[in-house]
């Protein structure tokens, strides 16, 4: 059976006029069906919301709200005559707002009523507003796509000259003997590194701001992430005389491993930069359904008043002179943005003079038990330690096939490798590399390829083509200036070591040495001679 409220609603809707009761806070207390129809929603969807939240165009909602406040204050009815302009432009019919008082005479609500023509006008205004919103979304998406293409091109193309500057500077420095010239070369290197660092940070911030970076969650062991941090930052901690301990945990987490590395890297870098004695602890700890990855340091600490602002752009503590040697103030700003993309809260607690703890909450994917080993892993030794440059080159020399479509890059890398004692086979792409192999050039011991080559080719394709041509797993190393997460994930899936442009020549040299040694060991274990000729047949 219909209730009294049903009959009242039917009575209010019988005339077809939109009517609603607005509360003291401007929200819709009750609305009849004609009013809801004008908004394009059922009555209960409009109730409890402001007129703007219910779907009225902003200008119309603001005009009604001004009239409502006037009625609440004066206790006098208010309205707009048909065809009037003012706070409700475009509504050709009369609109009336009437005060509604309680038994004690206090005004508790305002009744809003309009005729049927106004209902049509409201519906038309709402439809127009929705069309404008859809158009704005489409425009924003086009702008985002255009910005994405620009940033992708800028990220790759602007890194190329920096990489060339690094290579030629390294070559030039090796030929200088005059102390004054060496000092100038060192200052040039600082300028190159400063410019490249700023460029990389600005491009990353721009990509995050534009919404171009999206997470690709997957399940992976957290110890893999911790091991990468130890491998990357362990040598720097050792060079500063700091202890670097890792507390591993045999557990699986759900996150994007590439973005997690990018998030942890600035935190680790800051911990090392601001810790002068003591050490760093990287630990994984369970917290309910989540896992906390914590970075502890015994550094200078952060005053409570600054523990929020450190995540702002270009904000640095203890660096009022903006000395770029102390960083750019964008590291934690990038951490904040990456945390938002991943949906992983980042917290900090700190005591000035005692140290800091940064923590990242990551969802657990399993219920594996803890590992009891709290010791830190040993980092790989530098193959050149204790040796002269010539001795190191002669012990690791081999033939490297370099595939790079940028002529300046190709020349610079070739000169660099030749200076280390390698024989170099230069190629601008897959076809040129395969043609050289067909023409009888020496079989490469390793392939060093840029990730993005001309056309649809990639460095992964190039290494695989060389392997197919030679009939064996020739070691491969990928070099790239790309920051696109999907491309970086493709390299990660391929299993090839990755070097980011502009790369540190010493780090590249170590990687080539270790890759060649691993490749030779696998080759000899398989019973194949290192000088086995490549197959002449093209891969299918």
């Amino acid at each position: 059976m219909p209730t009294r409220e049903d009959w009242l609603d039917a009575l209010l809707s019988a005339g077809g006029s939109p009517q609603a009761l607005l509360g003291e806070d401007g929200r819709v207390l009750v609305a009849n069906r004609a009013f809801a129809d004008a908004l394009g929603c059922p009555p209960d969807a409009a109730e409890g919301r402001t007129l703007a939240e219910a779907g009225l165009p902003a200008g119309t909602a603001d005009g009604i709200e001004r009239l409502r406040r006037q009625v609440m204050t004066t206790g006098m009815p208010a309205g707009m005559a048909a065809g009037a302009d003012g706070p409700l432009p475009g509504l050709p019919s009369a609109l009336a707002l009437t005060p509604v008082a309680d038994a004690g005479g206090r005004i508790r609500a305002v009744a809003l009523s309009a005729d049927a023509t106004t209902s049509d006008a409201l519906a038309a205004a709402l439809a127009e507003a929705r069309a404008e919103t859809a158009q704005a979304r489409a425009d924003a998406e086009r702008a985002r796509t255009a910005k994405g293409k620009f940033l992708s091109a800028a990220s790759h193309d602007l890194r190329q000259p920096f990489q060339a500057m690094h290579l030629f500077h390294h070559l030039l420095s090796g030929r200088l003997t005059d102390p004054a010239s060496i000092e100038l070369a060192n200052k040039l290197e600082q300028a190159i590194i400063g410019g490249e660092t700023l460029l990389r940070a600005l491009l990353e911030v721009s990509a995050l701001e534009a919404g171009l970076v999206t997470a690709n969650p997957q399940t992976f062991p957290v110890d893999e992430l911790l091991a990468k941090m130890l491998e990357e930052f362990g040598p720097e901690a050792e060079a500063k005389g700091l202890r670097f301990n890792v507390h591993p945990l045999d557990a699986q987490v759900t996150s994007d491993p590439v973005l997690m590395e990018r998030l942890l890297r600035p935190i680790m870098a800051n911990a090392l930069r601001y810790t002068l004695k003591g050490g760093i602890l990287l630990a994984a700890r369970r917290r309910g359904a989540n896992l906390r990855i914590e970075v502890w340091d015994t550094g200078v600490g952060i005053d409570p008043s600054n523990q929020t602002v450190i995540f702002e752009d270009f904000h640095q503590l203890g660096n009022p002179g903006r000395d770029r040697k102390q960083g750019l103030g964008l590291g934690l700003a990038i951490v904040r943005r990456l945390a938002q993309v991943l949906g992983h809260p980042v917290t900090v607690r700190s005591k000035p003079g005692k140290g800091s703890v940064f923590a990242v909450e990551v969802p657990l994917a399993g219920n594996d038990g803890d590992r009891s080993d709290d010791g830190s892993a040993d980092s790989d030794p530098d193959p050149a330690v204790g040796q002269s440059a010539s001795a190191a080159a002669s012990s690791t020399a081999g033939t490297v096939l370099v595939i790079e479509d940028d002529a300046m890059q190709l020349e610079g890398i070739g000169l660099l490798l030749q200076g280390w004692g390698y024989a170099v086979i230069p190629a601008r792409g897959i076809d040129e590399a395969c043609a050289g192999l067909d023409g009888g050039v020496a079989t490469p011991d390793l392939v060093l390829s840029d990730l993005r080559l001309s056309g649809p080719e990639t460095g992964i394709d190039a290494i695989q083509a060389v392997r197919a041509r030679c009939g064996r797993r020739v070691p491969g190393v990928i070099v790239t200036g790309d920051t696109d997460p999907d491309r970086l994930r493709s390299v990660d899936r391929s299993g090839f070591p990755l070097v980011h442009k502009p790369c540190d020549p010493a780090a590249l040299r170590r990687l080539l040495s270790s890759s060649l040694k691993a490749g030779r060991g696998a080759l000899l274990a398989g019973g194949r001679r290192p000088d086995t000729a490549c197959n002449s047949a093209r891969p299918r």
Side-chain angles (χ1 to χ4, degrees), residues 75-141:
M76 299 295 293
M80 297 191 63
D85 293 326
L88 301 178
L91 296 183
S93 303
L95 187 70
L97 284 85
T98 306
V100 177
D102 61 13
R106 179 181 174 183
I107 299 173
R108 294 286 189 177
V110 172
L112 169 67
S113 61
D115 62 27
T117 307
T118 303
S119 174
D120 295 338
L122 286 172
L126 181 59
E128 183 179 355
R130 287 172 176 166
E132 290 176 355
T133 301
Q135 182 62 42
R137 287 199 187 104
D139 292 342
E141 180 61 24

Side-chain angles (χ1 to χ4, degrees), residues 145-164:
T145 301
K147 189 172 184 179
K149 291 179 179 178
F150 168 77
L151 287 173
S152 179
S155 177
H156 180 267
D157 296 345
L158 289 177
R159 289 170 189 261
Q160 294 288 74
F162 275 101
Q163 173 68 13

Side-chain angles (χ1 to χ4, degrees), residues 324-357:
R324 290 184 178 178
K325 294 178 182 178
Q326 300 182 39
L328 300 169
L330 286 173
L332 292 181
I334 291 173
V335 167
R336 172 174 58 83
R337 290 176 170 90
L338 286 171
Q340 292 171 348
V341 171
L342 290 166
H344 300 341
V346 176
T347 58
V348 59
R349 62 183 190 272
S350 181
K351 291 183 178 180
K354 299 292 185 180
S356 305
V357 183

Side-chain angles (χ1 to χ4, degrees), residues 197-198 200-202 204-205 208 233 259-271 273-274 309-317 322 324 326-339 346 358 360:
T197 302
L198 179 59
R200 182 192 295 122
L202 290 176
E204 185 164 8
V205 168
L208 288 165
F233 293 98
L259 297 186
M260 275 300 300
E261 281 186 50
R262 289 167 60 180
L263 185 151
L264 282 178
R265 194 169 285 118
I267 297 177
M268 292 296 305
N270 275 359
R273 179 179 297 121
Y274 295 109
V309 297
I310 56 173
F311 292 96
E312 296 178 1
D313 295 343
F314 296 105
H315 191 94
Q316 284 182 294
L317 303 179
R322 305 297 301 166
R324 290 184 178 178
Q326 300 182 39
L328 300 169
L330 286 173
L332 292 181
I334 291 173
V335 167
R336 172 174 58 83
R337 290 176 170 90
L338 286 171
V346 176
F358 284 80
V360 186

Side-chain angles (χ1 to χ4, degrees), residues 164 199 258 489 516:
L199 171 65
V258 174
R489 291 185 192 106
L516 277 167

